[in-house]
Amino acid sequence: ANHFNAFQKSFQVSLPTGAKVKVMIASPASVRHFLNIRMYAGAGDRNAVEGLIGNYDGKPNNDFILPDGSSGNVRQFNLGWR
């Protein structure tokens, strides 16, 4: 199901797994516009996904996988994927 909110300038897509992707148009005081994108995993995604936003397996120690396959901290993750 898709939902558009013109007042908040946002669009949300809901997937069959329960996952949601929400896109919001942000308009700060300047004339620049940018997008905020939020992703929410659904219950059907548990233990079935992997990637830059984590594995969704309930184990925070493997959420920051580096390019070489090892696990790191936030700083190492950011530097490793530059």
Side-chain angles (χ1 to χ4, degrees):
N2 299 330
H3 176 70
F4 176 73
N5 184 327
F7 179 73
Q8 292 183 351
K9 298 180 182 177
S10 66
F11 186 78
Q12 181 172 295
V13 177
S14 299
L15 304 173
T17 62
K20 295 179 184 177
V21 178
K22 186 173 184 179
V23 179
M24 298 155 287
I25 301 171
S27 301
S30 68
V31 294
R32 291 182 174 187
H33 296 280
F34 57 92
L35 296 176
N36 284 322
I37 300 173
R38 293 185 181 170
M39 300 174 68
Y40 305 92
D45 294 319
R46 186 166 292 283
N47 294 312
V49 297
E50 61 182 40
L52 292 177
I53 58 173
N55 296 334
Y56 197 46
D57 60 2
K59 301 174 186 172
N61 63 325
N62 67 7
D63 284 348
F64 299 108
I65 301 299
L66 304 175
D68 66 2
S70 65
S71 184
N73 60 35
V74 174
R75 186 175 191 293
Q76 293 167 324
F77 180 83
N78 289 336
L79 292 173
W81 288 103
R82 283 184 140 191

